[in-house]
Amino acid sequence: MRVRRICDGDRRVVAVHHGPSDTWVDLDAAAAVFDRSVRGPLTQDLVDLLAARERGRDMAQRLADRAVGEQVAMVTPAPALPVDVTSLRCFLGWEKHWVQAAHSLVRRNLRAAWPFIRAYETVGRRTFPALRPGAAFGDHPDYYTGNHRTIRADGDEIPWPDYTDLLDYELEFGVVVDHPIRDATPAQATAAIGGFVVFNDVSARDVQWDEHRRSSFGPVVKTKTFASTMGAVMVTPDEILPHLDDLDASVVVDGETWASTSTAGMRWSPGDWLSYASRGEEIGPGELATSGTLPSGSGLEIDRWIRPGQTVTLSIDRIGSVSNRVGAPSTASTPR
């Protein structure tokens, strides 16, 4: 099931997609007409609806069918964040992305070392060790904690902060937790996933290189805390989990396809991510965990860079998309 949130002034309610008619239904308004007994958290809070699982989906489908049949409560929702995210954990999902991004950073910033690295890889037929993920990536899911307060909605402008000259997008998906877990097994963690959403982990690549080389806390401090974006539509896990390793994806900038990729080859599952993250701590409803960048899902990997005024659309089959215009840099920053 595809669900989203309607934000109209102080009104916050759930909208559900009616597949046969390709129509969105205001679930709270439909409940007010057809079944006031279910009106409340399940029709007004998306996380609560997701947590109700089959009971919630059955109720939403029943109301949507009646609403469409009687031409009541059908809406065209404006883009909005589907949930109020309470925390953000960003995982590393694909070794191929890491390797491609690392090669691009070295080519761009350590040109003198590049011939040696290429010779090593050509002769040895393997990736230069320093350009592979850390050893821990093979042992358990790897992640950093991002800034959930700077997540922007589908259609919002991506800000260009004054401390970077090299802005980049990153094509990812995220999962939202809908009930608490702690020290969960992968199966228990998977059962806590309420929905899937497309995510853009916006990055400042010149800052990333500087932080990687000189910071005590690694390359994800100011590099990634100023902005990210997420789609307006969330899809329930019953529609995604059976296909999670075989979803096509794309990056389109101003109508031109820059990259085509897929979710194939992900090292750890979302259940693995959340299981690891829940060790010794509670993860609760509204927390967001993201997949890391799909291979070739960033400008860094393909050496193609977004510019102010361009519109970036990231899409993943069955999950959805997120589209945002790139804002103008401040006067202190000149993109190159």
Side-chain angles (χ1 to χ4, degrees):
M1 177 169 283
R2 294 160 59 82
V3 291
R4 62 190 301 173
R5 184 162 65 170
I6 298 173
C7 298
D8 184 10
D10 293 333
R11 186 171 182 259
R12 299 287 188 273
V13 296
V14 176
V16 60
H17 186 253
H18 185 261
S21 63
D22 192 22
T23 302
W24 287 96
V25 172
D26 180 330
L27 197 60
D28 193 58
V33 174
F34 300 116
D35 187 355
R36 297 186 68 88
S37 69
V38 300
R39 193 178 185 194
L42 297 190
T43 63
Q44 297 168 2
D45 187 284
L46 193 146
V47 174
D48 284 339
L49 175 64
L50 295 174
R53 293 297 192 271
E54 288 187 15
R55 177 173 65 90
R57 294 197 296 270
D58 289 346
M59 177 272 293
Q61 187 65 60
R62 173 173 55 83
L63 288 176
D65 287 343
R66 289 200 64 183
V68 171
E70 299 190 29
Q71 298 291 290
V72 173
M74 294 186 295
V75 291
T76 303
L81 290 175
V83 298
D84 295 321
V85 176
T86 57
S87 80
L88 173 62
R89 293 176 176 85
C90 300
F91 286 80
L92 171 60
W94 289 267
E95 181 174 353
K96 184 177 180 180
H97 157 70
W98 180 279
V99 170
Q100 291 181 162
H103 279 74
S104 183
L105 282 171
V106 169
R107 281 197 306 270
R108 189 177 188 89
N109 296 284
L110 285 180
R111 295 178 181 177
W114 184 243
F116 169 76
I117 292 171
R118 291 303 299 152
Y120 175 94
E121 293 184 336
T122 300
V123 173
R125 296 184 179 180
R126 63 191 183 101
T127 303
F128 191 72
L131 302 184
R132 297 188 61 195
F137 175 67
D139 299 331
H140 58 74
D142 230 352
Y143 74 94
Y144 70 89
T145 301
N147 186 356
H148 66 283
R149 299 176 67 88
T150 57
I151 299 175
R152 298 190 172 220
D154 182 38
D156 285 352
E157 187 173 85
I158 298 173
W160 192 307
D162 62 9
Y163 57 77
T164 181
D165 295 332
L166 209 59
L167 203 65
D168 199 6
Y169 59 85
E170 293 193 54
L171 168 60
E172 308 187 9
F173 68 83
V175 297
V176 171
V177 174
D178 65 12
H179 65 264
I181 54 173
R182 181 186 179 95
D183 294 321
T185 66
Q188 291 168 335
T190 300
I193 296 172
F196 285 75
V197 65
V198 177
F199 188 79
N200 181 359
D201 188 14
V202 183
S203 301
R205 294 303 188 187
D206 45 358
V207 178
Q208 183 173 31
W209 176 255
D210 184 67
E211 288 184 339
H212 181 74
R213 299 272 291 174
R214 302 198 299 138
S215 171
S216 301
F217 293 100
V220 291
V221 186
K222 298 304 289 183
T223 298
K224 292 176 175 286
T225 54
F226 59 92
S228 55
T229 71
M230 66 187 295
V233 176
M234 192 160 289
V235 184
T236 52
D238 57 299
E239 295 196 8
I240 303 301
L241 286 172
H243 312 282
L244 190 55
D245 197 47
D246 189 29
L247 300 177
D248 291 332
S250 66
V251 176
V252 175
V253 179
D254 284 349
E256 179 186 358
T257 299
W258 280 20
S260 296
T261 181
S262 82
T263 57
M266 188 166 51
R267 175 63 179 86
W268 300 99
S269 73
D272 293 326
W273 314 340
L274 294 173
S275 173
Y276 180 73
S278 75
R279 292 176 60 184
E281 61 182 288
E282 182 173 295
I283 297 176
E287 299 199 46
L288 175 67
T290 68
S291 64
T293 310
L294 277 63
S296 302
S298 66
L300 174 63
E301 293 169 82
I302 63 174
D303 195 24
R304 196 166 184 183
W305 301 93
I306 53 176
R307 305 286 296 178
Q310 291 183 316
T311 296
V312 181
T313 301
L314 309 181
S315 303
I316 302 178
D317 187 36
R318 294 180 181 266
I319 301 177
S321 66
V322 62
S323 185
N324 304 91
R325 182 180 182 275
V326 181
S330 74
T331 55
S333 177
T334 303
R336 58 183 179 223

PDB file of all heavy atoms in Angstrom, residues 289-320:
ATOM      1  N   ALA A 289      16.190   4.862   8.858  1.00  0.00           N
ATOM      2  CA  ALA A 289      17.484   4.276   8.491  1.00  0.00           C
ATOM      3  C   ALA A 289      17.554   4.226   6.972  1.00  0.00           C
ATOM      4  O   ALA A 289      16.584   3.822   6.317  1.00  0.00           O
ATOM      5  CB  ALA A 289      17.627   2.870   9.070  1.00  0.00           C
ATOM      6  N   THR A 290      18.691   4.644   6.412  1.00  0.00           N
ATOM      7  CA  THR A 290      18.810   4.685   4.953  1.00  0.00           C
ATOM      8  C   THR A 290      19.871   3.713   4.458  1.00  0.00           C
ATOM      9  O   THR A 290      20.759   3.300   5.192  1.00  0.00           O
ATOM     10  CB  THR A 290      19.130   6.106   4.464  1.00  0.00           C
ATOM     11  OG1 THR A 290      20.447   6.490   4.876  1.00  0.00           O
ATOM     12  CG2 THR A 290      18.116   7.099   5.003  1.00  0.00           C
ATOM     13  N   SER A 291      19.762   3.385   3.177  1.00  0.00           N
ATOM     14  CA  SER A 291      20.476   2.256   2.589  1.00  0.00           C
ATOM     15  C   SER A 291      21.926   2.529   2.233  1.00  0.00           C
ATOM     16  O   SER A 291      22.690   1.605   1.980  1.00  0.00           O
ATOM     17  CB  SER A 291      19.763   1.825   1.305  1.00  0.00           C
ATOM     18  OG  SER A 291      19.808   2.873   0.333  1.00  0.00           O
ATOM     19  N   GLY A 292      22.330   3.791   2.178  1.00  0.00           N
ATOM     20  CA  GLY A 292      23.568   4.121   1.503  1.00  0.00           C
ATOM     21  C   GLY A 292      23.302   4.240   0.010  1.00  0.00           C
ATOM     22  O   GLY A 292      22.244   3.843  -0.502  1.00  0.00           O
ATOM     23  N   THR A 293      24.261   4.781  -0.699  1.00  0.00           N
ATOM     24  CA  THR A 293      24.060   5.123  -2.102  1.00  0.00           C
ATOM     25  C   THR A 293      24.116   3.894  -3.005  1.00  0.00           C
ATOM     26  O   THR A 293      25.038   3.079  -2.906  1.00  0.00           O
ATOM     27  CB  THR A 293      25.128   6.127  -2.553  1.00  0.00           C
ATOM     28  OG1 THR A 293      25.162   7.199  -1.612  1.00  0.00           O
ATOM     29  CG2 THR A 293      24.840   6.676  -3.927  1.00  0.00           C
ATOM     30  N   LEU A 294      23.124   3.772  -3.879  1.00  0.00           N
ATOM     31  CA  LEU A 294      23.161   2.719  -4.888  1.00  0.00           C
ATOM     32  C   LEU A 294      24.354   2.940  -5.819  1.00  0.00           C
ATOM     33  O   LEU A 294      24.756   4.084  -6.051  1.00  0.00           O
ATOM     34  CB  LEU A 294      21.870   2.727  -5.709  1.00  0.00           C
ATOM     35  CG  LEU A 294      20.653   2.003  -5.137  1.00  0.00           C
ATOM     36  CD1 LEU A 294      20.166   2.615  -3.831  1.00  0.00           C
ATOM     37  CD2 LEU A 294      19.522   1.961  -6.164  1.00  0.00           C
ATOM     38  N   PRO A 295      24.954   1.882  -6.356  1.00  0.00           N
ATOM     39  CA  PRO A 295      26.104   2.038  -7.247  1.00  0.00           C
ATOM     40  C   PRO A 295      25.807   2.988  -8.410  1.00  0.00           C
ATOM     41  O   PRO A 295      24.752   2.892  -9.049  1.00  0.00           O
ATOM     42  CB  PRO A 295      26.353   0.608  -7.742  1.00  0.00           C
ATOM     43  CG  PRO A 295      25.823  -0.259  -6.646  1.00  0.00           C
ATOM     44  CD  PRO A 295      24.621   0.468  -6.118  1.00  0.00           C
ATOM     45  N   SER A 296      26.707   3.917  -8.639  1.00  0.00           N
ATOM     46  CA  SER A 296      26.576   4.961  -9.668  1.00  0.00           C
ATOM     47  C   SER A 296      25.439   5.927  -9.373  1.00  0.00           C
ATOM     48  O   SER A 296      25.007   6.678 -10.252  1.00  0.00           O
ATOM     49  CB  SER A 296      26.399   4.351 -11.070  1.00  0.00           C
ATOM     50  OG  SER A 296      27.499   3.511 -11.395  1.00  0.00           O
ATOM     51  N   GLY A 297      24.986   5.953  -8.126  1.00  0.00           N
ATOM     52  CA  GLY A 297      23.880   6.806  -7.744  1.00  0.00           C
ATOM     53  C   GLY A 297      24.281   8.170  -7.221  1.00  0.00           C
ATOM     54  O   GLY A 297      23.453   8.856  -6.615  1.00  0.00           O
ATOM     55  N   SER A 298      25.524   8.584  -7.468  1.00  0.00           N
ATOM     56  CA  SER A 298      25.971   9.914  -7.079  1.00  0.00           C
ATOM     57  C   SER A 298      26.753  10.538  -8.225  1.00  0.00           C
ATOM     58  O   SER A 298      27.335   9.837  -9.063  1.00  0.00           O
ATOM     59  CB  SER A 298      26.856   9.851  -5.827  1.00  0.00           C
ATOM     60  OG  SER A 298      28.072   9.167  -6.101  1.00  0.00           O
ATOM     61  N   GLY A 299      26.791  11.856  -8.247  1.00  0.00           N
ATOM     62  CA  GLY A 299      27.574  12.558  -9.263  1.00  0.00           C
ATOM     63  C   GLY A 299      29.054  12.298  -9.130  1.00  0.00           C
ATOM     64  O   GLY A 299      29.783  12.268 -10.128  1.00  0.00           O
ATOM     65  N   LEU A 300      29.511  12.099  -7.889  1.00  0.00           N
ATOM     66  CA  LEU A 300      30.924  11.820  -7.647  1.00  0.00           C
ATOM     67  C   LEU A 300      31.385  10.596  -8.427  1.00  0.00           C
ATOM     68  O   LEU A 300      32.472  10.594  -9.016  1.00  0.00           O
ATOM     69  CB  LEU A 300      31.144  11.597  -6.148  1.00  0.00           C
ATOM     70  CG  LEU A 300      32.532  11.146  -5.708  1.00  0.00           C
ATOM     71  CD1 LEU A 300      33.580  12.210  -6.033  1.00  0.00           C
ATOM     72  CD2 LEU A 300      32.542  10.821  -4.211  1.00  0.00           C
ATOM     73  N   GLU A 301      30.569   9.550  -8.457  1.00  0.00           N
ATOM     74  CA  GLU A 301      30.976   8.307  -9.112  1.00  0.00           C
ATOM     75  C   GLU A 301      31.078   8.444 -10.622  1.00  0.00           C
ATOM     76  O   GLU A 301      31.899   7.765 -11.259  1.00  0.00           O
ATOM     77  CB  GLU A 301      29.986   7.193  -8.761  1.00  0.00           C
ATOM     78  CG  GLU A 301      30.004   6.789  -7.300  1.00  0.00           C
ATOM     79  CD  GLU A 301      28.841   5.885  -6.972  1.00  0.00           C
ATOM     80  OE1 GLU A 301      28.937   4.667  -7.230  1.00  0.00           O
ATOM     81  OE2 GLU A 301      27.821   6.390  -6.455  1.00  0.00           O
ATOM     82  N   ILE A 302      30.236   9.267 -11.207  1.00  0.00           N
ATOM     83  CA  ILE A 302      30.237   9.400 -12.674  1.00  0.00           C
ATOM     84  C   ILE A 302      30.907  10.695 -13.127  1.00  0.00           C
ATOM     85  O   ILE A 302      30.934  10.996 -14.317  1.00  0.00           O
ATOM     86  CB  ILE A 302      28.802   9.320 -13.232  1.00  0.00           C
ATOM     87  CG1 ILE A 302      27.943  10.477 -12.708  1.00  0.00           C
ATOM     88  CG2 ILE A 302      28.173   7.970 -12.883  1.00  0.00           C
ATOM     89  CD1 ILE A 302      26.557  10.547 -13.325  1.00  0.00           C
ATOM     90  N   ASP A 303      31.445  11.452 -12.146  1.00  0.00           N
ATOM     91  CA  ASP A 303      32.116  12.731 -12.421  1.00  0.00           C
ATOM     92  C   ASP A 303      31.228  13.660 -13.240  1.00  0.00           C
ATOM     93  O   ASP A 303      31.622  14.224 -14.260  1.00  0.00           O
ATOM     94  CB  ASP A 303      33.454  12.502 -13.135  1.00  0.00           C
ATOM     95  CG  ASP A 303      34.341  13.755 -13.110  1.00  0.00           C
ATOM     96  OD1 ASP A 303      34.149  14.589 -12.211  1.00  0.00           O
ATOM     97  OD2 ASP A 303      35.207  13.892 -13.993  1.00  0.00           O
ATOM     98  N   ARG A 304      30.014  13.820 -12.725  1.00  0.00           N
ATOM     99  CA  ARG A 304      29.067  14.740 -13.348  1.00  0.00           C
ATOM    100  C   ARG A 304      28.361  15.484 -12.219  1.00  0.00           C
ATOM    101  O   ARG A 304      27.819  14.855 -11.297  1.00  0.00           O
ATOM    102  CB  ARG A 304      28.069  13.965 -14.207  1.00  0.00           C
ATOM    103  CG  ARG A 304      27.304  14.849 -15.168  1.00  0.00           C
ATOM    104  CD  ARG A 304      26.584  14.035 -16.219  1.00  0.00           C
ATOM    105  NE  ARG A 304      25.936  14.924 -17.177  1.00  0.00           N
ATOM    106  CZ  ARG A 304      25.178  14.510 -18.184  1.00  0.00           C
ATOM    107  NH1 ARG A 304      24.983  13.213 -18.374  1.00  0.00           N
ATOM    108  NH2 ARG A 304      24.621  15.378 -19.008  1.00  0.00           N
ATOM    109  N   TRP A 305      28.342  16.818 -12.313  1.00  0.00           N
ATOM    110  CA  TRP A 305      28.028  17.613 -11.141  1.00  0.00           C
ATOM    111  C   TRP A 305      26.804  18.500 -11.361  1.00  0.00           C
ATOM    112  O   TRP A 305      26.664  19.151 -12.402  1.00  0.00           O
ATOM    113  CB  TRP A 305      29.243  18.468 -10.751  1.00  0.00           C
ATOM    114  CG  TRP A 305      30.411  17.583 -10.468  1.00  0.00           C
ATOM    115  CD1 TRP A 305      31.392  17.194 -11.351  1.00  0.00           C
ATOM    116  CD2 TRP A 305      30.687  16.906  -9.248  1.00  0.00           C
ATOM    117  NE1 TRP A 305      32.262  16.327 -10.738  1.00  0.00           N
ATOM    118  CE2 TRP A 305      31.860  16.127  -9.449  1.00  0.00           C
ATOM    119  CE3 TRP A 305      30.068  16.871  -8.001  1.00  0.00           C
ATOM    120  CZ2 TRP A 305      32.424  15.349  -8.444  1.00  0.00           C
ATOM    121  CZ3 TRP A 305      30.628  16.094  -6.995  1.00  0.00           C
ATOM    122  CH2 TRP A 305      31.791  15.344  -7.230  1.00  0.00           C
ATOM    123  N   ILE A 306      25.926  18.508 -10.365  1.00  0.00           N
ATOM    124  CA  ILE A 306      24.738  19.344 -10.430  1.00  0.00           C
ATOM    125  C   ILE A 306      25.104  20.819 -10.287  1.00  0.00           C
ATOM    126  O   ILE A 306      26.126  21.163  -9.697  1.00  0.00           O
ATOM    127  CB  ILE A 306      23.713  18.943  -9.350  1.00  0.00           C
ATOM    128  CG1 ILE A 306      24.358  18.917  -7.959  1.00  0.00           C
ATOM    129  CG2 ILE A 306      23.092  17.608  -9.693  1.00  0.00           C
ATOM    130  CD1 ILE A 306      23.373  18.619  -6.838  1.00  0.00           C
ATOM    131  N   ARG A 307      24.243  21.657 -10.849  1.00  0.00           N
ATOM    132  CA  ARG A 307      24.451  23.102 -10.846  1.00  0.00           C
ATOM    133  C   ARG A 307      23.210  23.791 -10.275  1.00  0.00           C
ATOM    134  O   ARG A 307      22.112  23.231 -10.285  1.00  0.00           O
ATOM    135  CB  ARG A 307      24.684  23.605 -12.276  1.00  0.00           C
ATOM    136  CG  ARG A 307      25.814  22.926 -13.033  1.00  0.00           C
ATOM    137  CD  ARG A 307      27.158  23.366 -12.539  1.00  0.00           C
ATOM    138  NE  ARG A 307      27.367  24.799 -12.781  1.00  0.00           N
ATOM    139  CZ  ARG A 307      28.458  25.453 -12.406  1.00  0.00           C
ATOM    140  NH1 ARG A 307      29.410  24.827 -11.759  1.00  0.00           N
ATOM    141  NH2 ARG A 307      28.571  26.740 -12.663  1.00  0.00           N
ATOM    142  N   PRO A 308      23.360  25.004  -9.792  1.00  0.00           N
ATOM    143  CA  PRO A 308      22.204  25.749  -9.297  1.00  0.00           C
ATOM    144  C   PRO A 308      21.111  25.857 -10.362  1.00  0.00           C
ATOM    145  O   PRO A 308      21.395  26.049 -11.548  1.00  0.00           O
ATOM    146  CB  PRO A 308      22.792  27.130  -8.977  1.00  0.00           C
ATOM    147  CG  PRO A 308      24.236  26.875  -8.710  1.00  0.00           C
ATOM    148  CD  PRO A 308      24.624  25.766  -9.636  1.00  0.00           C
ATOM    149  N   GLY A 309      19.879  25.692  -9.933  1.00  0.00           N
ATOM    150  CA  GLY A 309      18.739  25.802 -10.841  1.00  0.00           C
ATOM    151  C   GLY A 309      18.323  24.499 -11.486  1.00  0.00           C
ATOM    152  O   GLY A 309      17.218  24.411 -12.042  1.00  0.00           O
ATOM    153  N   GLN A 310      19.162  23.472 -11.428  1.00  0.00           N
ATOM    154  CA  GLN A 310      18.786  22.186 -11.997  1.00  0.00           C
ATOM    155  C   GLN A 310      17.820  21.453 -11.060  1.00  0.00           C
ATOM    156  O   GLN A 310      17.820  21.663  -9.847  1.00  0.00           O
ATOM    157  CB  GLN A 310      20.020  21.323 -12.259  1.00  0.00           C
ATOM    158  CG  GLN A 310      20.904  21.850 -13.376  1.00  0.00           C
ATOM    159  CD  GLN A 310      22.087  20.937 -13.653  1.00  0.00           C
ATOM    160  OE1 GLN A 310      22.746  20.443 -12.740  1.00  0.00           O
ATOM    161  NE2 GLN A 310      22.363  20.708 -14.935  1.00  0.00           N
ATOM    162  N   THR A 311      17.018  20.568 -11.642  1.00  0.00           N
ATOM    163  CA  THR A 311      16.102  19.741 -10.859  1.00  0.00           C
ATOM    164  C   THR A 311      16.575  18.294 -10.902  1.00  0.00           C
ATOM    165  O   THR A 311      16.750  17.723 -11.988  1.00  0.00           O
ATOM    166  CB  THR A 311      14.667  19.837 -11.397  1.00  0.00           C
ATOM    167  OG1 THR A 311      14.206  21.184 -11.250  1.00  0.00           O
ATOM    168  CG2 THR A 311      13.733  18.917 -10.620  1.00  0.00           C
ATOM    169  N   VAL A 312      16.796  17.717  -9.732  1.00  0.00           N
ATOM    170  CA  VAL A 312      17.294  16.352  -9.592  1.00  0.00           C
ATOM    171  C   VAL A 312      16.148  15.447  -9.164  1.00  0.00           C
ATOM    172  O   VAL A 312      15.493  15.703  -8.143  1.00  0.00           O
ATOM    173  CB  VAL A 312      18.425  16.284  -8.544  1.00  0.00           C
ATOM    174  CG1 VAL A 312      18.950  14.854  -8.415  1.00  0.00           C
ATOM    175  CG2 VAL A 312      19.546  17.240  -8.903  1.00  0.00           C
ATOM    176  N   THR A 313      15.905  14.395  -9.934  1.00  0.00           N
ATOM    177  CA  THR A 313      14.850  13.434  -9.616  1.00  0.00           C
ATOM    178  C   THR A 313      15.475  12.056  -9.433  1.00  0.00           C
ATOM    179  O   THR A 313      16.100  11.525 -10.359  1.00  0.00           O
ATOM    180  CB  THR A 313      13.787  13.376 -10.717  1.00  0.00           C
ATOM    181  OG1 THR A 313      13.214  14.679 -10.877  1.00  0.00           O
ATOM    182  CG2 THR A 313      12.683  12.388 -10.353  1.00  0.00           C
ATOM    183  N   LEU A 314      15.330  11.502  -8.256  1.00  0.00           N
ATOM    184  CA  LEU A 314      15.832  10.169  -7.929  1.00  0.00           C
ATOM    185  C   LEU A 314      14.645   9.224  -7.805  1.00  0.00           C
ATOM    186  O   LEU A 314      13.681   9.530  -7.091  1.00  0.00           O
ATOM    187  CB  LEU A 314      16.610  10.205  -6.610  1.00  0.00           C
ATOM    188  CG  LEU A 314      17.709  11.274  -6.484  1.00  0.00           C
ATOM    189  CD1 LEU A 314      18.390  11.163  -5.130  1.00  0.00           C
ATOM    190  CD2 LEU A 314      18.709  11.157  -7.619  1.00  0.00           C
ATOM    191  N   SER A 315      14.714   8.078  -8.495  1.00  0.00           N
ATOM    192  CA  SER A 315      13.577   7.155  -8.527  1.00  0.00           C
ATOM    193  C   SER A 315      14.037   5.731  -8.285  1.00  0.00           C
ATOM    194  O   SER A 315      15.115   5.331  -8.762  1.00  0.00           O
ATOM    195  CB  SER A 315      12.866   7.221  -9.888  1.00  0.00           C
ATOM    196  OG  SER A 315      12.434   8.539 -10.182  1.00  0.00           O
ATOM    197  N   ILE A 316      13.214   4.978  -7.574  1.00  0.00           N
ATOM    198  CA  ILE A 316      13.444   3.544  -7.370  1.00  0.00           C
ATOM    199  C   ILE A 316      12.134   2.820  -7.643  1.00  0.00           C
ATOM    200  O   ILE A 316      11.080   3.176  -7.087  1.00  0.00           O
ATOM    201  CB  ILE A 316      13.938   3.235  -5.941  1.00  0.00           C
ATOM    202  CG1 ILE A 316      15.236   3.992  -5.645  1.00  0.00           C
ATOM    203  CG2 ILE A 316      14.151   1.733  -5.771  1.00  0.00           C
ATOM    204  CD1 ILE A 316      15.767   3.776  -4.242  1.00  0.00           C
ATOM    205  N   ASP A 317      12.203   1.840  -8.509  1.00  0.00           N
ATOM    206  CA  ASP A 317      11.025   1.068  -8.904  1.00  0.00           C
ATOM    207  C   ASP A 317      10.271   0.562  -7.676  1.00  0.00           C
ATOM    208  O   ASP A 317      10.876   0.102  -6.712  1.00  0.00           O
ATOM    209  CB  ASP A 317      11.485  -0.115  -9.767  1.00  0.00           C
ATOM    210  CG  ASP A 317      10.329  -0.884 -10.357  1.00  0.00           C
ATOM    211  OD1 ASP A 317       9.326  -0.254 -10.699  1.00  0.00           O
ATOM    212  OD2 ASP A 317      10.452  -2.125 -10.488  1.00  0.00           O
ATOM    213  N   ARG A 318       8.964   0.653  -7.707  1.00  0.00           N
ATOM    214  CA  ARG A 318       8.035   0.204  -6.676  1.00  0.00           C
ATOM    215  C   ARG A 318       8.006   1.113  -5.441  1.00  0.00           C
ATOM    216  O   ARG A 318       6.996   1.172  -4.749  1.00  0.00           O
ATOM    217  CB  ARG A 318       8.324  -1.242  -6.206  1.00  0.00           C
ATOM    218  CG  ARG A 318       8.100  -2.298  -7.271  1.00  0.00           C
ATOM    219  CD  ARG A 318       8.404  -3.688  -6.732  1.00  0.00           C
ATOM    220  NE  ARG A 318       8.220  -4.712  -7.743  1.00  0.00           N
ATOM    221  CZ  ARG A 318       7.097  -5.409  -7.920  1.00  0.00           C
ATOM    222  NH1 ARG A 318       6.059  -5.172  -7.125  1.00  0.00           N
ATOM    223  NH2 ARG A 318       7.009  -6.317  -8.862  1.00  0.00           N
ATOM    224  N   ILE A 319       9.112   1.814  -5.142  1.00  0.00           N
ATOM    225  CA  ILE A 319       9.126   2.672  -3.957  1.00  0.00           C
ATOM    226  C   ILE A 319       8.635   4.074  -4.292  1.00  0.00           C
ATOM    227  O   ILE A 319       7.768   4.619  -3.616  1.00  0.00           O
ATOM    228  CB  ILE A 319      10.533   2.725  -3.319  1.00  0.00           C
ATOM    229  CG1 ILE A 319      10.987   1.317  -2.912  1.00  0.00           C
ATOM    230  CG2 ILE A 319      10.521   3.646  -2.102  1.00  0.00           C
ATOM    231  CD1 ILE A 319      12.386   1.267  -2.331  1.00  0.00           C
ATOM    232  N   GLY A 320       9.203   4.689  -5.340  1.00  0.00           N
ATOM    233  CA  GLY A 320       8.756   6.022  -5.705  1.00  0.00           C
ATOM    234  C   GLY A 320       9.895   6.910  -6.130  1.00  0.00           C
ATOM    235  O   GLY A 320      10.889   6.444  -6.704  1.00  0.00           O
TER     236      GLY A 320
END
